[in-house]
Amino acid sequence: MLTTNPFDDDKLREECGIFGVAQAEGASALVALGLHALQHRGQEAAGITSFDGQHFHTHRAMGHVAGNFDRDEIIRALAGTMACGHVRYSTTGETALRNVQPLYADLASGGFAVAHNGNISNAMKLRRELVRRGSIFQSTSDTETIIHLVATSHYRTLLDRFIDALRQVEGAYSLICMTPEGMIACRDPLGIRPLVMGRLDKSVIFASETVALDVVGATFEREVEPGELVTVQNGEVKSIRPFATVSPRPCIFEHVYFSRPDSIVAGESVYSVRKAIGAELAIESPVDADLVIPVPDSGVPAAIGYAQQSGIPFELGIIRSHYVGRTFIQPGDKVRHLGVKLKHNANRALIEGKRIILIDDSIVRGTTSLKIVQMMRDAGAAEVHMRIASPPTRHSCFYGVDTPERTKLLAAQHDVAGMREFIHADSLAFVSIGGLYKALGEARRADIHPQYCDACFTGDYPTRLTDQDELAPADQFSLLAEKTA
């Protein structure tokens, strides 16, 4: 099998996007639209669960939102004025319908559905304890751990049982939950994964990104704060803060790559921040060249910023076809190389004889960068310089991002000179961690905890990694195989 998307296959990937609607006629149709806007956050599978006042209804499927939730009979079957949905990326874990969310269970207090963006970093330990106590798991998802913790809690009300469950978990989570009484949305105390709240007439909407609110015509109200639970019940919205206050550490990579450029994250335009990162990169790592060329599509804003700051012309030297999905062809190096060009092709007339600067958002394994540099050389580029709009990715993420194990991260195995040699570029440079913070209007201080989770760059993990710490090095892949949130 060959995927003809060579530039996206070597990216860090958000594993999920979530969207929920309370108090809206045809709630599931709104959720389907919202999930369309979040499709970039998860392209393996999608699911929607609704509640009609009496019964919960669920439809989950492998593949994109389009094709699974654009048929009237499916949306009609998801009846009710409350619904939540989820899009999921594949991970190193099992690809199976049983792991597609929202997950649903009949508890003693009634139905309970949950959609989760993030990763519980002590899920394996909690799961072993729950199994010993008699819990029977139906999936390999860490999200199901939350359901069992709620089910086995000794507190009386469902809300207290839910809070009790969250106090036992570590890691990152943004959750949208549904019960017969209403909807609950929450973020972990550090706010690692994003979640926003909006309004559409009398409806309350929660989403991973503001762009999903835009698509359904909702008005952005505010972010769900780190450590906050927001309940929507009988038209009343309440905020609960059951956790001790700590300094937030939202994921910095939302600004670099994960979020759509037309989203607003922490009050900042993602597009503008990415341009500012490109400008910082031009200041820190200038090079004498003829053209600035983005790696489509994620490198475009940073490339614009680099070009504006450096005064070097911005040009589209790589043309992307938006009409090619996955292609299945016979193996063989020659045919594989031709298949790659179905998706992206060099603009030879522009590139030939030119000294070019390629701008991309990150380097993970390095295999993609190697292909891009070679594509430029084959098109006749005189020099190929690469500039990366993030610091070197040296550490794996355990907070809901599909990351290769550390031994497969190019920056964990080589210094920048070694990475340049690996990708065969004439020069290679990354924006510094200080430059990244500067583009965000911050200064990363050594005397305090940083304002963001930047562990993939620095190794400074903001929470305990219980499951990871308990594993011997030979078993580390097993942990990643269970990351299916």
Side-chain angles (χ1 to χ4, degrees):
M1 182 183 75
L2 172 70
T3 169
T4 58
N5 194 346
F7 300 168
D8 293 340
D9 285 349
D10 192 24
K11 298 289 187 184
L12 297 182
R13 288 173 171 168
E14 258 284 15
E15 291 180 358
C16 317
I18 57 177
F19 191 93
V21 178
Q23 298 177 276
E25 293 298 326
S28 59
L30 289 174
V31 172
L33 288 173
L35 293 182
H36 270 288
L38 299 174
Q39 187 74 84
H40 61 288
R41 299 182 76 92
Q43 298 183 29
E44 179 196 63
I48 296 176
T49 297
S50 68
F51 182 65
D52 64 7
Q54 296 292 326
H55 303 287
F56 286 85
H57 309 277
T58 296
H59 183 77
R60 301 181 298 165
M62 308 304 296
H64 288 189
V65 178
N68 285 312
F69 292 97
D70 53 3
R71 301 200 304 273
D72 288 341
E73 62 270 22
I74 290 177
I75 297 300
R76 283 198 301 269
L78 295 167
T81 59
M82 179 170 63
C84 69
H86 186 274
V87 287
R88 177 179 184 265
Y89 245 131
S90 61
T91 73
T92 50
E94 181 185 29
T95 298
L97 192 60
R98 65 175 179 160
N99 286 327
V100 180
Q101 299 185 33
L103 297 183
Y104 174 81
D106 283 307
L107 307 182
S109 56
F112 184 82
V114 58
H116 172 207
N117 173 209
N119 189 66
I120 307 304
S121 58
N122 65 336
M124 297 300 294
K125 180 179 180 180
L126 292 170
R127 184 184 182 112
R128 289 194 298 269
E129 295 171 354
L130 287 161
V131 169
R132 280 197 295 267
R133 286 155 46 189
S135 293
I136 301 172
F137 281 74
Q138 301 298 315
S139 75
T140 60
S141 171
D142 60 343
T143 308
E144 192 179 357
T145 303
I146 297 172
I147 294 176
H148 286 279
L149 290 173
V150 173
T152 57
S153 173
H154 296 297
Y155 282 84
R156 186 177 63 84
T157 69
L158 177 62
L159 185 59
D160 286 339
R161 293 158 76 95
F162 182 59
I163 293 170
D164 179 43
L166 295 183
R167 283 175 172 160
Q168 297 176 63
V169 303
E170 301 168 3
Y173 55 83
S174 285
L175 302 170
I176 298 175
C177 307
M178 296 196 310
T179 76
E181 285 73 37
M183 180 170 282
I184 307 170
C186 65
R187 288 175 77 188
D188 66 80
L190 292 170
I192 298 174
R193 299 265 68 86
L195 192 63
V196 299
M197 181 170 68
R199 296 273 187 168
L200 180 63
D201 299 324
K202 296 181 179 180
S203 306
V204 180
I205 299 178
F206 300 98
S208 292
E209 293 185 37
T210 60
V211 67
L213 301 179
D214 297 338
V215 166
V216 300
T219 301
F220 169 76
E221 188 164 295
R222 65 180 180 88
E223 291 192 347
V224 176
E225 296 294 327
E228 180 186 20
L229 275 71
V230 179
T231 64
V232 183
Q233 184 175 355
N234 297 326
E236 187 176 6
V237 178
K238 291 184 178 180
S239 173
I240 303 168
R241 298 179 184 272
F243 307 108
T245 301
V246 294
S247 298
R249 296 280 298 276
C251 174
I252 202 167
F253 222 88
E254 291 286 347
H255 296 278
V256 174
Y257 175 68
F258 295 145
S259 294
R260 261 179 50 166
D262 45 343
S263 281
I264 305 294
V265 176
E268 298 289 339
S269 159
V270 173
Y271 179 79
S272 296
V273 168
R274 289 177 187 169
K275 283 181 62 180
I277 296 171
E280 285 297 322
L281 188 55
I283 294 169
E284 292 182 354
S285 302
V287 61
D288 189 16
D290 302 308
L291 300 174
V292 175
I293 293 174
V295 176
D297 287 321
S298 59
V300 171
I304 294 172
Y306 192 104
Q308 290 176 347
Q309 178 66 39
S310 66
I312 300 171
F314 169 95
E315 294 287 355
L316 296 179
I318 302 171
I319 306 302
R320 174 179 177 179
S321 170
H322 293 270
Y323 304 101
V324 179
R326 291 183 179 270
T327 286
F328 300 89
I329 60 177
Q330 295 299 315
D333 290 341
K334 183 177 181 180
V335 181
R336 285 181 186 276
H337 183 68
L338 293 175
V340 162
K341 291 186 176 182
L342 290 174
K343 191 74 175 184
H344 298 85
N345 192 41
N347 190 349
R348 178 179 291 272
L350 181 72
I351 292 169
E352 193 165 15
K354 299 294 196 306
R355 301 167 300 166
I356 65 170
I357 305 171
L358 289 169
I359 308 292
D360 204 355
D361 60 87
S362 61
I363 292 180
V364 183
R365 295 179 181 89
T367 53
T368 292
S369 300
L370 177 63
K371 292 176 185 176
I372 299 168
V373 171
Q374 187 59 50
M375 180 185 290
M376 297 297 97
R377 295 205 187 280
D378 290 345
E383 296 176 10
V384 182
H385 304 274
M386 198 146 198
R387 296 295 181 265
I388 306 300
S390 65
T393 303
R394 294 192 171 98
H395 304 271
S396 297
C397 176
F398 300 100
Y399 299 124
V401 178
D402 185 15
T403 317
E405 55 187 302
R406 192 160 187 253
T407 57
K408 294 181 180 179
L409 295 172
L410 189 65
Q413 309 305 314
H414 301 278
D415 59 12
V416 174
M419 296 175 74
R420 182 208 62 76
E421 185 176 354
F422 179 88
I423 67 173
H424 299 163
D426 290 288
S427 72
L428 171 67
F430 297 77
V431 73
S432 67
I433 190 72
L436 179 58
Y437 272 76
K438 185 178 178 182
L440 286 159
E442 304 278 2
R444 193 180 196 276
R445 294 174 53 189
D447 59 326
I448 61 170
H449 288 300
Q451 300 92 319
Y452 294 91
C453 177
D454 53 24
C456 54
F457 307 132
T458 65
D460 181 6
Y461 294 98
T463 75
R464 289 180 294 182
L465 302 175
T466 298
D467 290 338
Q468 177 71 10
D469 292 342
E470 288 183 355
L471 290 173
D475 294 327
Q476 288 181 4
F477 182 78
S478 299
L479 173 66
L480 294 176
E482 293 295 339
K483 285 175 52 181
T484 56

